[in-house]
Amino acid sequence: MAINVEHATVFLGGREILHDISWKVRRGERCFILGANGAGKTTLVKVLMGYAWPLYGAKVQVLGKTFGSVNLMDLRRSIAWVSPCMQQWMDGEIKGLEMVLSGVDGTFGLFRQASADELERAHAVMKSLRCEALCERSLVTMSSGEQVKILIARAMMTAPELMILDEPSVYLDIAGREFLLDFIAKLAADRPDLTMIFITQRIEDILPVFGRGMILKSGRIAAEGQRDEVLTEPNLQSAFDLNIRLIRTEKGRLWTVID
């Protein structure tokens, strides 16, 4: 299993954020987590990364390692995590290329001299994401969307076993979002061994490649299973408290209409 969470209940700030979450993801699966703001999506990611801990009695295993008996710093080097919330930990004066290179060490900033091979790979990754022009730009001068591209490039500097994409397109415009989603689809095709978790509040961002998933609502699993079983109008109407209707495109993307 890539992910095995059993009976995880999480309190933050004295408030229950997740309630009795049990969830499994097999290696190589591509899963989505959908939910409105405040549903508990990012908190679940923080549990997987070891930044938030469930109450005693829960079990958390990631990439076969059991939390409580694993070096989390070593484990995190096998996980590519991309999230806008990571921006709060980044020094705004760091340049784009330095941040990308820091992905090799799993740090937020480069604290050593990069090798020639690492520099070559960093430039290649940034070019593939159309952000090579940001090499010498400091993070503080970049837009939120540009910062997200840097974080994705940083995540690609290693050969991760697990990739967690936590609302990566939230700050992107339409063209930027579609470019990013196309990049994700190509990555999934090129790396069939890579386990991918895609977290979003936007139904239209869930590509057909994500064949399994779940909906979170108020810290609980409201629906879980195969894509077509989860992404139904009744489930979405309940999750978002809106009269949602779905339109399916020829390529399998789902778009919403509010009646």
Side-chain angles (χ1 to χ4, degrees):
M1 285 290 171
I3 295 171
N4 179 32
V5 178
E6 298 179 11
H7 305 294
T9 295
V10 177
F11 280 80
L12 296 175
R15 187 168 65 92
E16 186 181 78
I17 307 299
L18 295 177
H19 177 79
D20 196 25
I21 298 294
S22 292
W23 181 49
K24 298 180 187 293
V25 178
R26 295 191 299 271
R27 288 181 182 263
E29 274 194 316
R30 282 68 194 270
C31 297
F32 64 84
I33 302 174
L34 176 69
N37 284 335
K41 305 185 298 297
T42 295
T43 299
L44 179 55
V45 173
K46 290 179 178 179
V47 169
L48 300 178
M49 296 297 297
Y51 294 121
W53 287 79
L55 296 181
Y56 179 80
K59 182 177 183 180
V60 179
Q61 293 178 313
V62 176
L63 299 176
K65 308 296 184 182
T66 302
F67 283 25
S69 61
V70 63
N71 184 317
L72 288 173
M73 289 296 293
D74 289 340
L75 177 62
R76 288 170 187 151
R77 292 190 179 98
S78 299
I79 304 172
W81 178 32
V82 178
S83 172
C85 79
M86 296 170 68
Q87 295 168 350
Q88 63 185 303
W89 299 323
M90 300 190 305
D91 182 347
E93 296 305 319
I94 295 175
K95 294 180 179 179
L97 180 60
E98 294 173 335
M99 181 56 70
V100 172
L101 286 165
S102 74
V104 176
D105 298 326
T107 56
F108 289 102
L110 189 63
F111 302 103
R112 61 174 177 81
Q113 186 70 35
S115 70
D117 287 345
E118 289 168 345
L119 283 167
E120 183 179 357
R121 175 159 178 75
H123 281 289
V125 170
M126 294 180 76
K127 184 176 181 180
S128 73
L129 283 163
R130 298 180 187 172
C131 63
E132 198 172 16
L134 303 176
C135 281
E136 297 304 317
R137 289 259 306 276
S138 59
L139 295 177
V140 73
T141 67
M142 298 180 194
S143 69
S144 296
E146 289 171 334
Q147 290 180 3
V148 168
K149 285 189 175 184
I150 291 297
L151 287 173
I152 293 173
R154 174 184 175 274
M156 295 308 301
M157 281 300 293
T158 61
E161 298 178 53
L162 170 63
M163 174 169 278
I164 301 174
L165 298 157
D166 185 3
E167 302 202 56
S169 63
V170 66
Y171 294 130
L172 300 179
D173 59 21
I174 294 175
R177 178 188 67 181
E178 292 305 311
F179 172 79
L180 173 62
L181 293 178
D182 185 60
F183 177 84
I184 292 170
K186 290 177 180 176
L187 178 63
D190 292 342
R191 286 282 312 273
D193 60 313
L194 178 63
T195 306
M196 301 178 74
I197 308 297
F198 187 85
I199 297 96
T200 186
Q201 56 182 300
R202 299 173 179 170
I203 295 93
E204 61 270 21
D205 285 2
I206 304 175
L207 297 170
V209 69
F210 295 99
R212 288 186 60 83
M214 68 176 173
I215 296 175
L216 287 179
K217 182 176 183 180
S218 302
R220 299 169 185 260
I221 297 177
E224 181 183 8
Q226 296 294 325
R227 174 189 177 89
D228 290 341
E229 299 171 347
V230 173
L231 298 179
T232 66
E233 290 180 350
N235 284 343
L236 297 174
Q237 289 166 2
S238 175
F240 292 94
D241 296 318
L242 291 170
N243 192 19
I244 294 174
R245 302 299 177 192
L246 291 175
I247 298 173
R248 184 185 299 270
T249 69
E250 292 183 0
K251 294 184 178 181
R253 291 275 293 278
L254 294 173
W255 295 80
T256 57
V257 175
I258 310 300
D259 283 350

